[in-house]
Amino acid sequence: MEIRDSAGVTIVDNRGEADSTFTLVSDLRLGSVEADAPDLFSDVVAVGVSPSGDIVVGDRMSTSARVFDETGGFIAAFGARGEGPGELSQLDDVMVVGDTVLLIDWQRGGTVSRYSSRGVLSHAVSMTMDDGVRLAPVAHDGASWLAGEYRNRTEVLDEGEIVEQRAVLLRYDWNDPAPGPEAYSRVAAHLYGVRTGSTSADWPLFGRVQMGDGFDGAGRYYDASITDYAVRVWGADGLERIVRRDVALVPITPEVVAQVRDGAVEKVDSLTRNAPVAVREQQVEQTREMVTRRASHMVADSVPPIAAILVGRDGSIWVNRRDGPDLVQVEVEAMYSGVLGMSSRATRWDVFAADGRFRGRLEVPPRTRVYAVSEHHAWGVALDDLDVPFVHRWSLEHLPG
């Protein structure tokens, strides 16, 4: 690992580093098939962890968040379907910011209910948000959070139309006497005016860069480069660090496009296996046409090797790879469950320590989704053979060899 300084920016270059291999070993499992059990989950939408180690699980079916201590003991459940304070039409996401839990309902104009980790409601605000606004809480003191607004800039080229997305983060103050959209203010435009992705007309194959981004516990913002294997770390005064590995851009060939088409057809055929034959055949043919149409709009002849990133509170970084055998898999899964959704196949991740040092590779098993990470642990959900969800805390253990 080489560490150097370039105009005040620390560059951590992991080129040539030897690979280590990790596996996930569950050291805590939450889940039950008993009707009245507090850890009976139906449709897990999020798993978060507080600084004290409490695990927060959002369950869409019950429209509630459940909190468990680090040993798995049940602490509290809160949130319900309804029209009253803190109630939701549906639970779309749960975010843990320090010891604060935010329940998010996109169906009701972006309702955000703020609870303590013990289930005490302090705020419930309804905001009218544009389709491009995505919440990104960062303030660990609970006084404010940030929301990312993704704005498009269109440029027409001979090869097609390019839409560049730029993220502008706005600060919301929970203590404002009249909370609402007017409570936003721009913060650090030079910091958050970063290019986060691009797409061309008709949502082509590979043209979009659906990368996760996030914050660590100190409020630093992390995003992934779209031109090489690099994760950028932004502080209050601008770019602080770049973490790199020597991984090339991934070429898009006709053979790769054909593999994506075949993979998408296989995926649709599996999803519609219980439908009438005529419906299955129609869906399969529409899928073939969709992939062909999207491929015709491709502008780029290569894509970045990073599909998504997860950021730990401790500053650790997990990078989801999109190269080699993973390219087709990531593209097909992204069509139906998003890059960070639950995959029917194993997904490959690179794990970095908080100082940017590459620690090794990890395969997340099929039917498993990781929601939160640290340098030595991960939290997420896995489905059993009957599709029953179980929440896990995993430790990272070295595989021999």
Side-chain angles (χ1 to χ4, degrees), residues 32-247:
S32 175
V33 294
E34 301 295 330
D36 296 327
D39 59 347
L40 172 64
F41 308 120
S42 300
D43 183 6
V44 175
V45 297
V47 179
V49 59
S50 74
S52 63
D54 291 345
I55 300 170
V56 182
V57 182
D59 186 78
R60 191 192 308 272
M61 188 68 70
S62 63
T63 324
S64 68
R66 327 267 183 86
V67 183
F68 304 85
D69 65 26
E70 60 183 347
T71 68
F74 176 67
I75 295 176
F78 45 90
R81 195 180 305 275
E83 301 290 334
E87 294 180 335
L88 313 166
S89 60
Q90 73 177 35
L91 181 63
D92 293 311
D93 203 355
V94 175
M95 297 183 177
V96 181
V97 186
D99 288 320
T100 297
V101 179
L102 305 181
L103 306 188
I104 300 167
D105 177 0
W106 291 115
Q107 298 301 309
R108 195 175 290 168
T111 299
V112 182
S113 300
R114 178 190 178 198
Y115 287 86
S116 74
S117 61
R118 297 302 182 263
V120 178
L121 177 68
S122 59
H123 289 79
V125 295
S126 181
M127 303 181 63
T128 301
M129 297 183 178
D130 296 333
D131 290 342
V133 176
R134 178 174 61 82
L135 295 181
V138 56
H140 48 276
D141 60 1
S144 62
W145 49 272
L146 300 178
E149 181 178 355
Y150 292 84
R151 298 176 178 175
N152 292 338
R153 181 182 66 81
T154 301
E155 180 180 356
V156 179
L157 305 176
D158 291 340
E159 301 88 346
E161 182 181 83
I162 294 293
V163 180
E164 180 183 281
Q165 277 193 336
R166 292 187 178 272
V168 179
L169 269 73
L170 309 172
R171 184 178 297 277
Y172 179 82
D173 184 1
W174 279 112
N175 298 318
D176 189 281
E182 68 277 4
Y184 281 98
S185 62
R186 294 182 183 274
V187 293
H190 68 284
L191 166 59
Y192 296 115
V194 295
R195 181 172 177 174
T196 60
S198 62
T199 183
S200 62
D202 197 24
W203 186 35
L205 295 181
F206 309 109
R208 66 205 182 285
V209 182
Q210 293 184 335
M211 298 177 301
D213 52 16
F215 297 88
D216 63 19
R220 288 183 290 262
Y221 174 68
Y222 294 63
D223 74 343
S225 169
I226 64 170
T227 58
D228 58 0
Y229 190 115
V231 176
R232 299 171 294 197
V233 184
W234 304 81
D237 297 322
L239 184 61
E240 292 184 354
R241 181 189 303 163
I242 300 175
V243 178
R244 288 177 174 165
R245 284 203 73 205
D246 188 12
V247 179

Side-chain angles (χ1 to χ4, degrees), residues 124-378:
V125 295
S126 181
M127 303 181 63
T128 301
M129 297 183 178
D130 296 333
D131 290 342
V133 176
R134 178 174 61 82
L135 295 181
V138 56
H140 48 276
D141 60 1
S144 62
W145 49 272
L146 300 178
E149 181 178 355
Y150 292 84
R151 298 176 178 175
N152 292 338
R153 181 182 66 81
T154 301
E155 180 180 356
V156 179
L157 305 176
D158 291 340
E159 301 88 346
E161 182 181 83
I162 294 293
V163 180
E164 180 183 281
Q165 277 193 336
R166 292 187 178 272
V168 179
L169 269 73
L170 309 172
R171 184 178 297 277
Y172 179 82
D173 184 1
W174 279 112
N175 298 318
D176 189 281
E182 68 277 4
Y184 281 98
S185 62
R186 294 182 183 274
V187 293
H190 68 284
L191 166 59
Y192 296 115
V194 295
R195 181 172 177 174
T196 60
S198 62
T199 183
S200 62
D202 197 24
W203 186 35
L205 295 181
F206 309 109
R208 66 205 182 285
V209 182
Q210 293 184 335
M211 298 177 301
D213 52 16
F215 297 88
D216 63 19
R220 288 183 290 262
Y221 174 68
Y222 294 63
D223 74 343
S225 169
I226 64 170
T227 58
D228 58 0
Y229 190 115
V231 176
R232 299 171 294 197
V233 184
W234 304 81
D237 297 322
L239 184 61
E240 292 184 354
R241 181 189 303 163
I242 300 175
V243 178
R244 288 177 174 165
R245 284 203 73 205
D246 188 12
V247 179
L249 292 174
V250 183
I252 304 172
T253 64
E255 291 76 17
V256 168
V257 173
Q259 290 173 28
V260 171
R261 181 195 61 221
D262 295 344
V265 166
E266 180 183 345
K267 181 80 172 182
V268 167
D269 192 57
S270 173
L271 292 173
T272 59
R273 60 183 178 273
N274 295 322
V277 173
V279 173
R280 294 182 70 180
E281 292 177 347
Q282 180 185 35
Q283 291 293 318
V284 165
E285 185 57 33
Q286 288 177 349
T287 300
R288 286 197 182 97
E289 293 176 357
M290 174 192 68
V291 174
T292 301
R293 184 177 66 252
R294 291 182 182 177
S296 70
H297 287 288
M298 285 194 306
V299 176
D301 57 4
S302 61
V303 293
I306 296 179
I309 63 173
L310 291 172
V311 179
R313 181 177 288 105
D314 58 1
S316 58
I317 307 167
W318 287 34
V319 174
N320 186 203
R321 296 283 292 271
R322 179 179 32 196
D323 59 340
D326 300 324
L327 174 60
V328 173
Q329 172 194 336
V330 168
E331 184 66 21
V332 171
E333 295 291 346
M335 293 182 187
Y336 301 99
S337 59
V339 168
L340 289 176
M342 185 172 293
S343 174
S344 60
R345 303 181 183 179
T347 54
R348 188 156 56 103
W349 297 77
D350 290 345
V351 180
F352 296 83
D355 60 4
R357 171 177 47 88
F358 175 59
R359 298 189 62 219
R361 292 183 175 183
L362 167 75
E363 275 201 356
V364 173
R367 296 160 55 83
T368 300
R369 176 172 178 178
V370 174
Y371 283 93
V373 300
S374 70
E375 186 170 338
H376 301 289
H377 291 89

